[in-house]
Amino acid sequence: MGKPMKIRAAVKDGVTEVKILMQHEMETGLRKEADGTLVPAWFITEVKAQYQGRTVLEAQFGQSISKNPYLLFHFKGGAAGEKVTVSWVDNKGDTRTDEVAIAA
Amino acid sequence: MNAKQIIGMVVAASFAAAILPAQAASLDAKTTDIIKRDFRDKGIAKASRVNQDELQAACSKYVDKVPTKLKHKLEAEQEKAVKWPADGKYMGDWKAGEKLAQSGRGMTWSDKPEDAAGGNCYNCHQLSSTEIAYGTIGPSLLNFGKIRGNTEEVQRYAYGRIYNAKAYNACANMPRFGHMGILSEAQIKDLVALLLDPESPVNK
Amino acid sequence: MNTSNVNKAILMLALAASCTVQAAENETTDSDRIAAYREMISDGNPAEFDEMRGEELWKTAAGPNQATLEKCDLGKGPGVVKGAYAELPRYFKDTGKVQDLESRLLTCMTTLQGLKEEDISAKPFASEKKASDISSLTTYVVGQSKGIKMAVSVKHPKEKEAYEIGKRIFNYRAGPYDFACSTCHATSGVRIRMQDLPNLSSNKKDAQSAYTSWPAYRVSQGLTRSFQWRLNDCFRQQRFPEPKFASEATVALTMFLAVSANGAKYDGPGLKR
């Protein structure tokens, strides 16, 4: 299982802002060690955010995204106290899911 | 508050913060002891590097504002130690000079013994008009040769200044590239050419 | 991107954030743009992960004594972490020494947990391959002073002495390049190549913003770097040998720089290029 994410979510004027900080190496597969050996590719491929069973964001990630990716998005609706669930999958099949209650 | 009160406050404040000369001397000595004890070899950077020569010690003690008499003495000593080229020629190849000027490598503990030291020039100076990533700690050297010409006198001056900047200004920020063995005679000549050759991008 | 149930989901990757910043590009400097970038990702500082790791280490029993660090006295009493960093370095009666955060943590880890000093000092900095416990602990402790005003004392004679020695180390020229800290950090408004250099000796604002933004997550290295690491890297570029970890020399220099930052709100862990 992957390392925990930091998620913040807050609703204002009917729009919920979600900030997600993920912990991941995001190796491109192109980088070499000092001795010349290739560091194998290892990166998040998919991110999904859900609110009350609805998918409010689905993203495809790739090698161009930095280590420890940060993602910010808004969606219409959302209520304080309700939960937003975020999960990612990487190219090794590893996954991580965290959730957070929406703040007012 | 009148002027007298303000003066009184300033005097009081400076007394509170002042360090007496005897105290300062003992703090200087203590600092040197601590530095000599608390640094260690790492890679090519040996602990002995913290041992100061007379010039380094004077510039540290006076925070680069050395009393005039001592300053002139130090500058004269540095100038005397300059090794001028035996063939009497000061100019090399400006293209090799530009490469050297670009390189900021050399002599750190993460550099390998076989890594050649660069000139570090662009770290602090503007040189070629085409290189926009230049530092501003030192003065701009753009058009250095265009402004001064490249008479033998100017060539000798540029060579000396790179070989040992401290011969001209005891506590200059600039390293002593020849004196400390950072660059070779041939490399310094290449840098002189970068500054003075009419074909060099510094003068274009 | 699936927007079936949501009309307008606005996706913004921090990496792509430059498009927002570019609108105001004409009148702004690089520093302004960097500040705007920092603001935008201020809630996304990966240093938080190192804080989490440090907090876990603080609260987990470890070492031969199987003790936590929750009784560690960082100057405000045993176990008080909140605001401790804003008053460090300081004089500690029990050790009879002025200590900065790193050297004080070393004291706590050896006395409370029974760990060996040389084992801790052998791995003082995080690397790509391996995190450093003492480095993560500092990240956690500094985070507990965020927003608190720097108030480092020089009242005790030993504190005053450390400050004076630190100032002298700052101006100490040596090595093949004759460099001191002051060679690069005693003039305002200068830069090395394109990198702006803070004036740490005579510009209060520069000294404050530099000190209060370390430790920091270095985006280019993907690691959270401690203040000790920052000092070490300066000495490396000064062509100096390596300062010993948590030594009197580094504590004194830290004292000088911390006092220069007094009055400013501590703002770390920061985020750097």
Side-chain angles (χ1 to χ4, degrees), chain B residues 143-197:
Chain B
N143 293 325
F144 188 89
K146 215 182 205 171
I147 295 162
R148 291 167 182 82
N150 67 353
T151 60
E152 195 181 322
E153 196 193 341
V154 174
Q155 291 179 21
R156 188 178 161 91
Y157 168 74
Y159 186 94
R161 198 93 211 201
I162 300 167
Y163 188 95
N164 190 345
K166 271 78 172 182
Y168 304 79
N169 176 9
C171 298
N173 283 330
M174 185 162 148
R176 297 171 278 178
F177 288 100
H179 188 81
M180 298 300 252
I182 304 162
L183 298 177
S184 69
E185 181 181 302
Q187 288 177 311
I188 298 175
K189 285 181 176 182
D190 292 338
L191 291 175
V192 173
L194 178 67
L195 290 174
L196 297 176
D197 196 311

Short mmCIF file of all heavy atoms in Angstrom, two decimals, chain B residues 143-197:
data_model
loop_
_atom_site.label_atom_id
_atom_site.label_comp_id
_atom_site.label_asym_id
_atom_site.label_seq_id
_atom_site.Cartn_x
_atom_site.Cartn_y
_atom_site.Cartn_z
N ASN B 143 32.44 44.35 -22.86
CA ASN B 143 33.24 45.33 -23.61
C ASN B 143 34.54 45.70 -22.91
O ASN B 143 35.07 46.79 -23.12
CB ASN B 143 32.43 46.61 -23.87
CG ASN B 143 31.28 46.36 -24.81
OD1 ASN B 143 31.40 45.54 -25.73
ND2 ASN B 143 30.16 47.03 -24.58
N PHE B 144 35.06 44.80 -22.10
CA PHE B 144 36.27 45.07 -21.33
C PHE B 144 37.41 45.54 -22.24
O PHE B 144 38.07 46.55 -21.98
CB PHE B 144 36.70 43.82 -20.56
CG PHE B 144 37.82 44.04 -19.58
CD1 PHE B 144 37.56 44.42 -18.27
CD2 PHE B 144 39.15 43.87 -19.96
CE1 PHE B 144 38.60 44.62 -17.36
CE2 PHE B 144 40.20 44.08 -19.05
CZ PHE B 144 39.91 44.45 -17.75
N GLY B 145 37.63 44.81 -23.34
CA GLY B 145 38.73 45.14 -24.25
C GLY B 145 38.38 46.31 -25.16
O GLY B 145 39.25 47.11 -25.52
N LYS B 146 37.11 46.41 -25.52
CA LYS B 146 36.67 47.51 -26.39
C LYS B 146 36.94 48.85 -25.72
O LYS B 146 37.34 49.81 -26.35
CB LYS B 146 35.17 47.34 -26.66
CG LYS B 146 34.73 47.76 -28.03
CD LYS B 146 33.23 47.59 -28.10
CE LYS B 146 32.75 47.39 -29.51
NZ LYS B 146 31.33 47.02 -29.53
N ILE B 147 36.71 48.87 -24.42
CA ILE B 147 36.89 50.12 -23.67
C ILE B 147 38.37 50.41 -23.43
O ILE B 147 38.81 51.54 -23.59
CB ILE B 147 36.15 50.04 -22.31
CG1 ILE B 147 34.63 49.94 -22.53
CG2 ILE B 147 36.48 51.23 -21.42
CD1 ILE B 147 33.85 49.43 -21.33
N ARG B 148 39.13 49.39 -23.10
CA ARG B 148 40.51 49.62 -22.67
C ARG B 148 41.55 49.40 -23.77
O ARG B 148 42.72 49.75 -23.59
CB ARG B 148 40.84 48.69 -21.50
CG ARG B 148 40.11 49.04 -20.23
CD ARG B 148 40.22 47.91 -19.22
NE ARG B 148 39.48 48.22 -18.01
CZ ARG B 148 38.17 48.06 -17.86
NH1 ARG B 148 37.44 47.61 -18.88
NH2 ARG B 148 37.56 48.37 -16.73
N GLY B 149 41.15 48.77 -24.88
CA GLY B 149 42.13 48.40 -25.89
C GLY B 149 42.88 47.16 -25.43
O GLY B 149 42.60 46.64 -24.35
N ASN B 150 43.82 46.65 -26.24
CA ASN B 150 44.56 45.50 -25.76
C ASN B 150 46.07 45.69 -25.89
O ASN B 150 46.80 44.84 -26.38
CB ASN B 150 44.07 44.18 -26.37
CG ASN B 150 44.34 44.09 -27.85
OD1 ASN B 150 44.79 45.07 -28.46
ND2 ASN B 150 44.10 42.94 -28.44
N THR B 151 46.54 46.83 -25.46
CA THR B 151 47.97 47.09 -25.41
C THR B 151 48.60 46.11 -24.43
O THR B 151 47.90 45.49 -23.61
CB THR B 151 48.25 48.51 -24.88
OG1 THR B 151 47.69 48.62 -23.56
CG2 THR B 151 47.65 49.58 -25.79
N GLU B 152 49.93 45.98 -24.47
CA GLU B 152 50.61 45.05 -23.59
C GLU B 152 50.36 45.41 -22.13
O GLU B 152 50.21 44.53 -21.27
CB GLU B 152 52.11 45.03 -23.89
CG GLU B 152 52.75 43.81 -23.24
CD GLU B 152 54.25 43.74 -23.47
OE1 GLU B 152 54.70 44.09 -24.56
OE2 GLU B 152 54.95 43.33 -22.52
N GLU B 153 50.28 46.69 -21.86
CA GLU B 153 50.05 47.15 -20.49
C GLU B 153 48.69 46.64 -19.97
O GLU B 153 48.59 46.15 -18.84
CB GLU B 153 50.08 48.68 -20.48
CG GLU B 153 50.24 49.29 -19.12
CD GLU B 153 49.93 50.79 -19.14
OE1 GLU B 153 49.96 51.39 -20.24
OE2 GLU B 153 49.65 51.33 -18.06
N VAL B 154 47.68 46.74 -20.82
CA VAL B 154 46.34 46.26 -20.43
C VAL B 154 46.34 44.74 -20.28
O VAL B 154 45.75 44.19 -19.35
CB VAL B 154 45.27 46.72 -21.46
CG1 VAL B 154 43.91 46.09 -21.14
CG2 VAL B 154 45.15 48.23 -21.48
N GLN B 155 47.04 44.06 -21.18
CA GLN B 155 47.13 42.59 -21.10
C GLN B 155 47.77 42.15 -19.78
O GLN B 155 47.30 41.24 -19.12
CB GLN B 155 47.97 42.04 -22.26
CG GLN B 155 47.29 42.18 -23.62
CD GLN B 155 48.18 41.64 -24.73
OE1 GLN B 155 49.08 40.84 -24.50
NE2 GLN B 155 47.92 42.09 -25.95
N ARG B 156 48.85 42.84 -19.42
CA ARG B 156 49.57 42.50 -18.20
C ARG B 156 48.69 42.75 -16.97
O ARG B 156 48.64 41.97 -16.03
CB ARG B 156 50.86 43.34 -18.12
CG ARG B 156 51.77 42.92 -16.98
CD ARG B 156 53.04 43.77 -17.00
NE ARG B 156 53.72 43.73 -15.69
CZ ARG B 156 54.64 42.85 -15.38
NH1 ARG B 156 55.03 41.94 -16.25
NH2 ARG B 156 55.20 42.87 -14.17
N TYR B 157 47.94 43.85 -17.04
CA TYR B 157 47.02 44.19 -15.96
C TYR B 157 45.95 43.10 -15.79
O TYR B 157 45.70 42.62 -14.68
CB TYR B 157 46.36 45.55 -16.23
CG TYR B 157 45.19 45.87 -15.34
CD1 TYR B 157 45.38 46.22 -14.00
CD2 TYR B 157 43.87 45.81 -15.82
CE1 TYR B 157 44.31 46.51 -13.17
CE2 TYR B 157 42.80 46.09 -15.00
CZ TYR B 157 43.01 46.44 -13.68
OH TYR B 157 41.94 46.71 -12.87
N ALA B 158 45.36 42.69 -16.91
CA ALA B 158 44.30 41.67 -16.85
C ALA B 158 44.87 40.35 -16.33
O ALA B 158 44.24 39.67 -15.50
CB ALA B 158 43.67 41.47 -18.23
N TYR B 159 46.06 40.00 -16.79
CA TYR B 159 46.70 38.76 -16.33
C TYR B 159 46.92 38.79 -14.82
O TYR B 159 46.57 37.87 -14.09
CB TYR B 159 48.03 38.53 -17.06
CG TYR B 159 48.66 37.18 -16.73
CD1 TYR B 159 48.43 36.08 -17.55
CD2 TYR B 159 49.45 37.02 -15.59
CE1 TYR B 159 48.98 34.84 -17.25
CE2 TYR B 159 50.00 35.79 -15.27
CZ TYR B 159 49.76 34.70 -16.10
OH TYR B 159 50.29 33.47 -15.79
N GLY B 160 47.50 39.91 -14.37
CA GLY B 160 47.79 40.07 -12.94
C GLY B 160 46.55 40.02 -12.08
O GLY B 160 46.50 39.40 -11.02
N ARG B 161 45.51 40.66 -12.57
CA ARG B 161 44.24 40.75 -11.83
C ARG B 161 43.62 39.35 -11.66
O ARG B 161 43.02 39.06 -10.63
CB ARG B 161 43.32 41.65 -12.64
CG ARG B 161 42.14 42.23 -11.91
CD ARG B 161 42.41 43.58 -11.33
NE ARG B 161 41.60 43.70 -10.12
CZ ARG B 161 41.26 44.84 -9.56
NH1 ARG B 161 41.65 45.99 -10.04
NH2 ARG B 161 40.53 44.85 -8.47
N ILE B 162 43.73 38.50 -12.71
CA ILE B 162 43.18 37.15 -12.60
C ILE B 162 44.12 36.28 -11.76
O ILE B 162 43.68 35.49 -10.93
CB ILE B 162 42.95 36.52 -14.00
CG1 ILE B 162 41.96 37.36 -14.80
CG2 ILE B 162 42.43 35.09 -13.87
CD1 ILE B 162 41.90 37.02 -16.29
N TYR B 163 45.42 36.46 -11.98
CA TYR B 163 46.40 35.65 -11.23
C TYR B 163 46.25 35.90 -9.74
O TYR B 163 46.24 34.98 -8.94
CB TYR B 163 47.83 35.99 -11.68
CG TYR B 163 48.86 35.05 -11.08
CD1 TYR B 163 49.30 33.93 -11.78
CD2 TYR B 163 49.37 35.28 -9.80
CE1 TYR B 163 50.22 33.06 -11.23
CE2 TYR B 163 50.29 34.40 -9.24
CZ TYR B 163 50.71 33.29 -9.96
OH TYR B 163 51.61 32.42 -9.41
N ASN B 164 46.15 37.20 -9.37
CA ASN B 164 46.01 37.53 -7.95
C ASN B 164 45.32 38.86 -7.75
O ASN B 164 45.95 39.91 -7.69
CB ASN B 164 47.38 37.54 -7.27
CG ASN B 164 47.25 37.63 -5.76
OD1 ASN B 164 46.18 37.95 -5.23
ND2 ASN B 164 48.33 37.35 -5.05
N ALA B 165 43.98 38.80 -7.63
CA ALA B 165 43.18 40.03 -7.46
C ALA B 165 43.58 40.79 -6.21
O ALA B 165 43.42 42.01 -6.13
CB ALA B 165 41.69 39.68 -7.41
N LYS B 166 44.13 40.08 -5.24
CA LYS B 166 44.47 40.71 -3.96
C LYS B 166 45.72 41.58 -4.06
O LYS B 166 46.01 42.34 -3.14
CB LYS B 166 44.66 39.64 -2.88
CG LYS B 166 43.38 39.28 -2.14
CD LYS B 166 42.47 38.36 -2.88
CE LYS B 166 41.32 37.89 -1.99
NZ LYS B 166 40.44 36.95 -2.69
N ALA B 167 46.47 41.47 -5.15
CA ALA B 167 47.62 42.36 -5.34
C ALA B 167 47.14 43.77 -5.65
O ALA B 167 47.89 44.73 -5.53
CB ALA B 167 48.49 41.83 -6.48
N TYR B 168 45.89 43.90 -6.06
CA TYR B 168 45.32 45.18 -6.45
C TYR B 168 44.37 45.71 -5.39
O TYR B 168 44.16 46.91 -5.26
CB TYR B 168 44.59 45.04 -7.79
CG TYR B 168 45.49 44.51 -8.88
CD1 TYR B 168 45.79 43.14 -8.97
CD2 TYR B 168 46.08 45.37 -9.81
CE1 TYR B 168 46.64 42.66 -9.94
CE2 TYR B 168 46.93 44.89 -10.79
CZ TYR B 168 47.21 43.53 -10.85
OH TYR B 168 48.05 43.04 -11.80
N ASN B 169 43.75 44.79 -4.65
CA ASN B 169 42.80 45.15 -3.60
C ASN B 169 42.82 44.02 -2.58
O ASN B 169 42.28 42.94 -2.83
CB ASN B 169 41.41 45.34 -4.21
CG ASN B 169 40.35 45.62 -3.16
OD1 ASN B 169 40.66 45.84 -1.98
ND2 ASN B 169 39.10 45.59 -3.57
N ALA B 170 43.48 44.27 -1.45
CA ALA B 170 43.82 43.20 -0.50
C ALA B 170 42.65 42.30 -0.13
O ALA B 170 42.81 41.09 -0.02
CB ALA B 170 44.45 43.80 0.76
N CYS B 171 41.47 42.89 0.09
CA CYS B 171 40.34 42.07 0.53
C CYS B 171 39.26 41.93 -0.55
O CYS B 171 38.06 41.83 -0.25
CB CYS B 171 39.75 42.61 1.82
SG CYS B 171 40.93 42.57 3.18
N ALA B 172 39.70 41.93 -1.80
CA ALA B 172 38.75 41.73 -2.91
C ALA B 172 37.99 40.42 -2.69
O ALA B 172 38.51 39.49 -2.07
CB ALA B 172 39.51 41.67 -4.23
N ASN B 173 36.75 40.36 -3.21
CA ASN B 173 35.98 39.11 -3.12
C ASN B 173 36.57 38.02 -4.00
O ASN B 173 36.41 36.84 -3.73
CB ASN B 173 34.53 39.36 -3.58
CG ASN B 173 33.71 40.08 -2.53
OD1 ASN B 173 33.94 39.94 -1.33
ND2 ASN B 173 32.75 40.89 -2.98
N MET B 174 37.22 38.45 -5.07
CA MET B 174 37.66 37.50 -6.11
C MET B 174 38.80 36.60 -5.65
O MET B 174 39.74 37.05 -5.02
CB MET B 174 38.10 38.32 -7.33
CG MET B 174 38.48 37.49 -8.53
SD MET B 174 38.46 38.54 -10.00
CE MET B 174 39.74 37.76 -10.97
N PRO B 175 38.68 35.29 -5.97
CA PRO B 175 39.76 34.36 -5.62
C PRO B 175 41.06 34.70 -6.34
O PRO B 175 41.06 35.38 -7.37
CB PRO B 175 39.22 33.01 -6.09
CG PRO B 175 37.76 33.16 -6.21
CD PRO B 175 37.54 34.60 -6.60
N ARG B 176 42.17 34.18 -5.80
CA ARG B 176 43.50 34.38 -6.42
C ARG B 176 43.79 33.15 -7.28
O ARG B 176 44.39 32.19 -6.83
CB ARG B 176 44.54 34.52 -5.31
CG ARG B 176 44.32 35.75 -4.42
CD ARG B 176 45.22 35.75 -3.21
NE ARG B 176 44.69 34.92 -2.13
CZ ARG B 176 45.32 34.72 -0.96
NH1 ARG B 176 46.50 35.28 -0.73
NH2 ARG B 176 44.77 33.96 -0.03
N PHE B 177 43.34 33.22 -8.55
CA PHE B 177 43.33 32.02 -9.38
C PHE B 177 44.71 31.43 -9.66
O PHE B 177 44.87 30.22 -9.69
CB PHE B 177 42.56 32.28 -10.69
CG PHE B 177 41.08 32.39 -10.46
CD1 PHE B 177 40.46 33.64 -10.40
CD2 PHE B 177 40.31 31.26 -10.28
CE1 PHE B 177 39.10 33.74 -10.18
CE2 PHE B 177 38.94 31.35 -10.06
CZ PHE B 177 38.34 32.60 -10.00
N GLY B 178 45.71 32.30 -9.87
CA GLY B 178 47.05 31.78 -10.11
C GLY B 178 47.76 31.48 -8.80
O GLY B 178 48.30 30.39 -8.60
N HIS B 179 47.72 32.43 -7.91
CA HIS B 179 48.41 32.34 -6.62
C HIS B 179 48.03 31.06 -5.85
O HIS B 179 48.87 30.42 -5.24
CB HIS B 179 48.04 33.57 -5.79
CG HIS B 179 48.82 33.72 -4.51
ND1 HIS B 179 50.09 34.25 -4.48
CD2 HIS B 179 48.51 33.39 -3.23
CE1 HIS B 179 50.53 34.26 -3.22
NE2 HIS B 179 49.59 33.75 -2.45
N MET B 180 46.75 30.70 -5.87
CA MET B 180 46.28 29.54 -5.12
C MET B 180 46.28 28.27 -5.96
O MET B 180 45.78 27.22 -5.53
CB MET B 180 44.87 29.79 -4.58
CG MET B 180 44.77 30.95 -3.61
SD MET B 180 45.83 30.73 -2.12
CE MET B 180 44.61 30.39 -0.88
N GLY B 181 46.78 28.35 -7.18
CA GLY B 181 46.89 27.16 -8.01
C GLY B 181 45.56 26.63 -8.51
O GLY B 181 45.41 25.44 -8.78
N ILE B 182 44.57 27.51 -8.65
CA ILE B 182 43.26 27.07 -9.16
C ILE B 182 43.32 26.91 -10.67
O ILE B 182 42.82 25.94 -11.22
CB ILE B 182 42.16 28.10 -8.77
CG1 ILE B 182 42.13 28.31 -7.26
CG2 ILE B 182 40.80 27.66 -9.29
CD1 ILE B 182 41.42 29.58 -6.82
N LEU B 183 43.95 27.87 -11.35
CA LEU B 183 44.09 27.83 -12.81
C LEU B 183 45.57 27.87 -13.19
O LEU B 183 46.39 28.46 -12.47
CB LEU B 183 43.35 29.02 -13.45
CG LEU B 183 41.83 29.10 -13.25
CD1 LEU B 183 41.29 30.38 -13.87
CD2 LEU B 183 41.11 27.88 -13.81
N SER B 184 45.88 27.28 -14.34
CA SER B 184 47.27 27.27 -14.83
C SER B 184 47.57 28.57 -15.59
O SER B 184 46.66 29.33 -15.93
CB SER B 184 47.47 26.08 -15.77
OG SER B 184 46.72 26.31 -16.95
N GLU B 185 48.85 28.76 -15.88
CA GLU B 185 49.25 29.94 -16.66
C GLU B 185 48.51 29.98 -17.99
O GLU B 185 47.98 31.02 -18.39
CB GLU B 185 50.77 29.88 -16.88
CG GLU B 185 51.30 31.06 -17.65
CD GLU B 185 52.82 30.96 -17.87
OE1 GLU B 185 53.56 30.88 -16.87
OE2 GLU B 185 53.25 30.95 -19.04
N ALA B 186 48.45 28.83 -18.68
CA ALA B 186 47.78 28.78 -19.99
C ALA B 186 46.29 29.13 -19.87
O ALA B 186 45.74 29.83 -20.72
CB ALA B 186 47.95 27.38 -20.59
N GLN B 187 45.67 28.65 -18.79
CA GLN B 187 44.24 28.94 -18.60
C GLN B 187 44.00 30.43 -18.34
O GLN B 187 43.03 31.01 -18.83
CB GLN B 187 43.69 28.11 -17.43
CG GLN B 187 43.55 26.63 -17.76
CD GLN B 187 43.07 25.82 -16.56
OE1 GLN B 187 43.61 25.95 -15.46
NE2 GLN B 187 42.06 25.00 -16.76
N ILE B 188 44.89 31.03 -17.56
CA ILE B 188 44.73 32.47 -17.29
C ILE B 188 44.91 33.26 -18.59
O ILE B 188 44.16 34.21 -18.85
CB ILE B 188 45.72 32.94 -16.19
CG1 ILE B 188 45.41 32.20 -14.87
CG2 ILE B 188 45.63 34.45 -15.99
CD1 ILE B 188 46.38 32.48 -13.75
N LYS B 189 45.83 32.81 -19.43
CA LYS B 189 46.02 33.47 -20.73
C LYS B 189 44.74 33.38 -21.57
O LYS B 189 44.38 34.33 -22.27
CB LYS B 189 47.18 32.82 -21.49
CG LYS B 189 48.55 33.19 -20.95
CD LYS B 189 49.63 32.51 -21.78
CE LYS B 189 51.02 32.94 -21.30
NZ LYS B 189 52.07 32.31 -22.13
N ASP B 190 44.07 32.22 -21.50
CA ASP B 190 42.81 32.07 -22.25
C ASP B 190 41.75 33.05 -21.74
O ASP B 190 40.97 33.60 -22.52
CB ASP B 190 42.30 30.63 -22.14
CG ASP B 190 43.19 29.63 -22.88
OD1 ASP B 190 43.93 30.05 -23.78
OD2 ASP B 190 43.15 28.42 -22.53
N LEU B 191 41.75 33.27 -20.44
CA LEU B 191 40.78 34.22 -19.88
C LEU B 191 41.14 35.66 -20.26
O LEU B 191 40.26 36.48 -20.52
CB LEU B 191 40.70 34.07 -18.35
CG LEU B 191 40.06 32.77 -17.85
CD1 LEU B 191 40.14 32.68 -16.33
CD2 LEU B 191 38.60 32.66 -18.30
N VAL B 192 42.43 35.97 -20.30
CA VAL B 192 42.85 37.31 -20.74
C VAL B 192 42.37 37.53 -22.17
O VAL B 192 41.84 38.60 -22.50
CB VAL B 192 44.39 37.46 -20.64
CG1 VAL B 192 44.84 38.78 -21.27
CG2 VAL B 192 44.85 37.39 -19.19
N ALA B 193 42.49 36.50 -22.99
CA ALA B 193 42.04 36.61 -24.38
C ALA B 193 40.53 36.83 -24.45
O ALA B 193 40.04 37.62 -25.25
CB ALA B 193 42.43 35.36 -25.16
N LEU B 194 39.79 36.12 -23.58
CA LEU B 194 38.34 36.31 -23.54
C LEU B 194 38.00 37.78 -23.26
O LEU B 194 37.08 38.35 -23.85
CB LEU B 194 37.71 35.40 -22.48
CG LEU B 194 36.19 35.52 -22.29
CD1 LEU B 194 35.44 35.03 -23.52
CD2 LEU B 194 35.72 34.74 -21.07
N LEU B 195 38.77 38.40 -22.39
CA LEU B 195 38.52 39.80 -22.03
C LEU B 195 38.98 40.77 -23.11
O LEU B 195 38.34 41.81 -23.32
CB LEU B 195 39.24 40.14 -20.72
CG LEU B 195 38.70 39.50 -19.44
CD1 LEU B 195 39.61 39.83 -18.26
CD2 LEU B 195 37.29 40.01 -19.14
N LEU B 196 40.08 40.45 -23.79
CA LEU B 196 40.73 41.47 -24.63
C LEU B 196 40.73 41.22 -26.13
O LEU B 196 40.89 42.15 -26.91
CB LEU B 196 42.18 41.67 -24.15
CG LEU B 196 42.33 42.20 -22.71
CD1 LEU B 196 43.79 42.26 -22.33
CD2 LEU B 196 41.69 43.58 -22.57
N ASP B 197 40.58 39.97 -26.55
CA ASP B 197 40.61 39.70 -27.99
C ASP B 197 39.45 40.43 -28.68
O ASP B 197 38.30 40.29 -28.25
CB ASP B 197 40.49 38.18 -28.21
CG ASP B 197 40.88 37.78 -29.63
OD1 ASP B 197 40.39 38.42 -30.59
OD2 ASP B 197 41.69 36.84 -29.77
#
